[in-house]
Amino acid sequence: MPTTSEPAAEAGELTLAGLEDVAWRRRSNLRVDPDRPVPAELLDRLCRLASWAPNHHRTAPWRFCAVTGDGRHAIGEALAEDLLEAGEDHAAKIAKARTKYTRAPVVLVVASAAGSDPVTTAENRDAVAAAVQTLLLGATAAGLATLWSTGAAARSRRIIELCGFSGDDTLVGLVYLGWPVSEPTAPAERPAPAVAHLDHDPRAAR
């Protein structure tokens, strides 16, 4: 687990070490109780937290749809229809698509709004991806297990329509949320990233 030497925090203050701990504990996990609901107030709070992600020009591009109950079957059926339309003929894969979203009590569908130009559209998606990570960390801090799913569902126009999003919105992912029923295994150690340092203008010597 990451450790950082730093001054003790004031009451209510988040330290770097505390943030490191939440980031370390956040790992993809679907070992959750599919029948234990996640309170709507908590979902709203997490989406509100997500909206504090960096956002150029404050376009508020995030779109959220909390899918529960039979809605999970509906988005599964939409994915199955997408796969069939694309020529998928593997029966087990189609059957799995129809039921996969029932593995968690909530699936949060997250989309990004289109911008007024291609650059803004790209920046909007960046902001929404940052929002998803913020939400995942918040969910971990609240004791929830999470999994950010993409794949074919993240390209589904049927799911966009089911969620009531605009036709030009882009799905960024489907986030499974639920209460864990077991402690997930510790994540594999990740190598420290290489960090380049530039403290002068190398062109000046030319």
Side-chain angles (χ1 to χ4, degrees):
M1 181 183 298
T3 57
T4 299
S5 176
E6 59 183 58
E10 298 292 334
E13 180 184 349
L14 177 64
T15 65
L16 177 56
L19 182 58
E20 285 177 328
D21 178 67
V22 172
W24 182 85
R25 287 189 289 111
R26 190 219 65 77
R27 59 198 79 155
S28 296
N29 177 19
L30 262 181
R31 288 179 290 207
V32 301
D33 183 345
D35 300 315
R36 181 183 173 188
V38 177
E41 316 85 71
L42 177 54
L43 287 173
D44 289 345
R45 187 175 177 183
L46 291 173
C47 291
R48 174 61 176 156
L49 174 65
S51 74
W52 284 98
N55 175 209
H56 195 201
H57 297 311
R58 298 184 181 180
T59 57
W62 24 77
R63 303 289 182 264
F64 300 109
C65 179
V67 182
T68 58
D70 289 342
R72 298 170 299 168
H73 292 284
I75 60 172
E77 185 61 38
L79 176 58
E81 290 174 9
D82 286 337
L83 293 174
L84 288 168
E85 189 175 86
E88 177 60 56
D89 58 2
H90 197 290
K93 189 171 183 178
I94 301 299
K96 181 179 179 180
R98 289 192 167 105
T99 61
K100 66 185 297 184
Y101 299 115
T102 61
R103 294 178 290 178
V106 180
V107 177
L108 189 67
V109 184
V110 187
S112 173
S116 57
D117 56 77
V119 171
T120 304
T121 296
E123 289 183 341
N124 280 354
R125 186 183 175 93
D126 292 342
V128 175
V132 171
Q133 171 66 353
T134 303
L135 185 145
L136 294 175
L137 294 177
T140 301
L144 292 168
T146 62
L147 187 147
W148 180 359
S149 176
T150 53
R155 298 184 293 275
S156 173
R157 308 313 299 178
R158 286 184 172 90
I159 292 179
I160 283 180
E161 181 178 343
L162 276 172
C163 291
F165 297 147
S166 171
D168 57 1
D169 289 343
T170 300
L171 285 182
V172 176
L174 292 83
V175 179
Y176 294 81
L177 296 163
W179 301 104
V181 295
S182 63
E183 183 65 24
T185 56
E189 186 65 31
R190 297 189 182 188
V195 180
H197 293 271
L198 181 65
D199 61 0
H200 65 284
D201 185 347
R203 298 168 299 180
R206 295 178 184 172

